[in-house]
């Protein structure tokens, strides 16, 4: 069972949260200008590292706010959690 | 005389079914991953296409990854034509596979019930039954009493949180003994001269311009005319070494077994809505599967609350399970795609092929996908049955969207 540090509420049990997948994925600035390949990349392709991964979580049973977590996908060690507006390490 | 002990029909294991060769310096085809899909692919490369200068490389031990961790359910009751084509091809091959491999696989066509718990479930299920029939797949819609006739221990009381409103039934579905499937393929491959190389981790893929020429492994470099990836949850790790992005997310998928019990559960029962699936193994364990953990993971362990939910659903559907003890739990790492369908075909690199994205349901496809993937490798173009499962579909938009439709949530 993971203890996830919500930046607003502090550490809480993982059952209070939902995982929202990779963090720092930006919507294309001009959707009409991107190619099919770039659009597919935005919609469907995400990093899938065996190691540290920056991902979004929502504290669904708490403050209901989204934030980012850097977690090791092998050990589940959580290295940091930070608010959406704060810069993180972007996945390759 | 008392009734036969569960497990009495299990065959004795021979001492040795395959050699443990050192890898040669070069092969026509190198397959990465000696699970069900890698082994089946090598088998049909040899049997259908006469290509036997093949190595199947395995990081751990043969069939020790997801093949050893799955819940062994075999069915072909998928909604979309593309999926029904591939899984029904597999089911037909399963029906002849024991004879083909001359090895006992304990393939048991005990049927599968997919339960419906809401009006929407009922509508979706009846639609899937009709779609199955149009595709030549056996399927029936059963009301709760008929479902209970198939599986007498099923609780069809209306006084539960998610009552059973009916079920789809595929009588030809069933289970097989996963280890024996792998061993049957391995023995056949060994006899045909294919090298099964265990304890050999692929760490990189060698290119000359955009053409694959070999792999780097923990046991040295191996040259290869063609390289085929069949590494399930670890496919992204291999593709990353080439800078090849695949639309995959790797998640833990947990299962558990009970202690050995007398035969109580005659079929396979799956429920999408409360998400548990149950069968009874040949030896007598109840085998229970759950949904995936929501987050990405490679640690081969999952969250305890997933097991709690799975158990509470199982006990409501089968009240008699409440006295059964859990013997062990485990997780495999499954590679999930955005449309819950596999990716089987060529890649942008010449001579590199991928078979991945099976998510939670790859075992049932084992012979069918091996057949099609072997064709893809031998002819350098997909078999008609796996052509819809290309990597390009994520760009063209021609998705095979089996979310929910496939009778199991992902």
């Amino acid at each position: 069972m993971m203890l996830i540090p919500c930046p607003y509420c502090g550490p809480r049990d993982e059952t209070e949260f939902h995982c929202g997948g990779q963090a720092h994925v930006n919507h294309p600035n001009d959707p009409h200008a991107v190619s099919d390949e770039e659009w597919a990349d935005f919609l469907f392709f995400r990093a899938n590292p065996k190691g540290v991964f920056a991902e979004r979580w929502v504290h669904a049973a708490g403050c209901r706010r989204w934030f980012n977590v850097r977690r090791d996908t092998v050990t589940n060690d959580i290295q940091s959690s930070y608010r959406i507006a704060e810069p993180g390490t972007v996945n390759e | 005389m008392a009734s036969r002990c569960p497990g009495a029909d299990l065959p004795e294991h021979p001492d040795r079914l395959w050699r443990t060769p050192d890898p040669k310096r070069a092969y026509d085809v190198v397959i990465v991953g000696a699970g069900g899909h890698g082994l089946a692919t090598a088998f049909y490369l040899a049997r259908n296409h006469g290509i036997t200068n093949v190595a199947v490389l395995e990081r751990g031990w043969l069939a020790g990854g997801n093949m050893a961790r799955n819940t062994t359910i075999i069915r072909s009751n998928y909604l979309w034509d593309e999926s029904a084509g591939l899984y029904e091809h597999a089911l037909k091959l399963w029906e002849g596979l024991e004879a083909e491999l001359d090895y006992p696989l304990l393939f048991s066509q005990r049927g599968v019930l997919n339960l419906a718990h809401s009006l929407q479930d009922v509508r979706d299920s009846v639609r899937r039954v009709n779609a199955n029939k149009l595709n030549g797949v056996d399927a029936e819609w059963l009301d709760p009493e008929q479902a209970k006739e198939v599986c007498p221990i099923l609780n069809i009381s209306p006084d539960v949180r998610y009552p059973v409103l009916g079920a789809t039934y595929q009588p030809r579905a069933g289970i097989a003994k996963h280890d024996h499937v792998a061993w049957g393929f391995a023995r056949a491959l060994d006899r045909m001269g294919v090298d099964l190389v265990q304890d050999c981790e692929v760490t990189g893929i060698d290119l000359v311009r955009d053409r694959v020429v070999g792999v780097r492994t923990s046991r040295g470099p191996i040259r290869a005319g063609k390289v085929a990836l069949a590494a399930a949850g670890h496919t992204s790790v291999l593709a990353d070494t080439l800078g090849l992005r695949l639309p995959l997310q790797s998640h833990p998928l947990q299962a558990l077994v009970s202690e050995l019990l007398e035969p109580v559960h005659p079929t396979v029962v799956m429920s999408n809505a409360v998400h548990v699936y149950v069968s009874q193994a040949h030896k007598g364990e109840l085998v229970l599967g759950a949904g995936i953990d929501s987050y990405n993971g490679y640690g081969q362990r999952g969250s305890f609350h997933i097991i709690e939910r799975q158990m509470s659903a199982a006990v409501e559907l089968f009240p008699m399970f409440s006295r059964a003890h859990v013997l062990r739990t485990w997780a495999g790492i499954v590679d999930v795609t955005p449309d819950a369908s596999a990716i089987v075909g060529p890649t942008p690199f010449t001579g590199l092929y991928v078979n991945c994205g099976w998510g939670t349901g790859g075992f049932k496809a084992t012979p069918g996908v091996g057949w099609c993937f072997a064709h893809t490798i031998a002819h350098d173009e997909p078999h008609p049955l796996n052509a819809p499962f290309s990597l390009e579909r994520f760009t063209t938009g021609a998705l095979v969207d089996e979310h929910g439709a496939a009778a199991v949530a992902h």
Side-chain angles (χ1 to χ4, degrees), chain A:
Chain A
M1 189 74 81
M2 282 191 284
L3 199 60
I4 296 175
C6 172
Y8 304 98
C9 309
R12 295 288 189 276
D13 191 292
E14 74 172 271
T15 54
E16 295 187 15
F17 298 86
H18 288 304
C19 184
Q22 184 179 349
H24 309 295
V25 178
N26 295 318
H27 190 272
N29 285 326
D30 181 0
H32 299 289
V34 300
S35 66
D36 286 352
E37 288 72 21
E38 291 166 318
W39 193 242
D41 197 67
F42 166 70
L43 284 178
F44 297 128
F45 288 71
R46 296 290 182 268
N48 190 24
K50 187 174 186 175
V52 177
F53 189 38
E55 60 196 358
R56 302 179 304 164
W57 288 77
V58 60
H59 193 181
C63 63
R64 300 185 60 77
R65 282 190 276 194
W66 286 92
F67 59 97
N68 294 331
V69 169
R70 293 180 73 243
R71 179 180 62 90
D72 189 305
T73 60
V74 180
T75 62
N76 283 338
D77 287 339
I78 292 174
Q79 308 200 333
S80 61
S81 72
Y82 51 98
R83 300 177 186 206
I84 289 288
E86 293 172 322
T89 303
V90 178
N91 294 291
E92 293 300 318

Side-chain angles (χ1 to χ4, degrees), chain B residues 1-60:
Chain B
M1 194 175 141
S3 65
R4 287 168 66 80
C5 167
D9 297 325
L10 288 175
E12 293 295 316
H13 300 308
D15 287 340
R16 196 167 288 277
L17 295 171
W18 60 88
R19 298 161 295 135
T20 53
D22 291 324
K24 294 191 287 191
R25 292 183 60 191
Y27 292 92
D28 293 341
V29 179
V30 163
I31 296 171
V32 183
H37 288 195
L39 295 168
T41 302
F43 177 74
Y44 290 109
L45 269 177
R47 178 192 178 280
N48 293 358
H49 307 283
I51 300 170
T52 56
N53 185 20
V54 174
V56 186
L57 308 182
E58 172 55 48
R59 177 178 66 142

Side-chain angles (χ1 to χ4, degrees), chain B residues 211-390:
Chain B
R211 175 171 194 87
V212 168
V213 294
V215 292
R216 273 163 279 155
T217 80
S218 56
R219 297 176 68 172
I222 300 173
R223 292 201 306 278
K226 294 175 176 180
V227 174
L229 305 183
H234 282 74
T235 305
S236 295
V237 178
L238 288 166
D240 276 351
T241 65
L242 287 174
L244 172 62
R245 293 191 83 198
L246 296 170
L248 299 174
Q249 296 282 279
S250 295
H251 293 262
L253 173 65
Q254 299 187 78
L256 60 87
V257 292
S258 73
E259 62 199 316
L260 307 188
L261 302 171
E262 290 294 313
V264 292
H265 185 14
T267 184
V268 182
V269 173
M270 308 181 67
S271 171
N272 188 352
V274 298
H275 216 155
V276 66
Y277 34 100
V278 191
S279 64
Q280 188 166 15
H282 297 85
K283 265 192 301 186
E285 307 104 315
L286 296 168
V287 184
L288 282 79
I292 57 170
D293 281 52
S294 65
Y295 52 80
N296 291 25
Y298 286 92
Q300 293 187 324
R301 46 192 283 227
S303 300
F304 191 72
H305 70 270
I306 301 288
I307 298 175
E308 285 184 305
R309 289 174 193 167
Q310 167 195 2
M311 297 281 265
S312 63
V315 170
E316 188 165 274
L317 289 173
F318 305 97
M320 70 185 306
F321 287 6
S322 65
R323 298 286 174 175
H325 294 102
V326 171
L327 198 65
R328 61 182 183 275
T329 75
W330 66 89
I333 303 305
V334 299
D335 46 334
V336 177
T337 60
D339 65 351
S341 292
I343 303 168
V344 186
T347 68
F349 295 96
T350 305
L352 181 72
Y353 310 88
V354 288
N355 168 22
C356 60
W358 290 92
T360 62
F363 177 74
K364 69 175 84 71
T366 300
V369 69
W371 180 291
C372 294
F373 199 37
H375 178 104
T376 306
I377 297 162
H379 296 288
D380 205 23
E381 64 176 28
H383 186 279
L385 287 174
N386 68 303
F389 297 92
S390 69

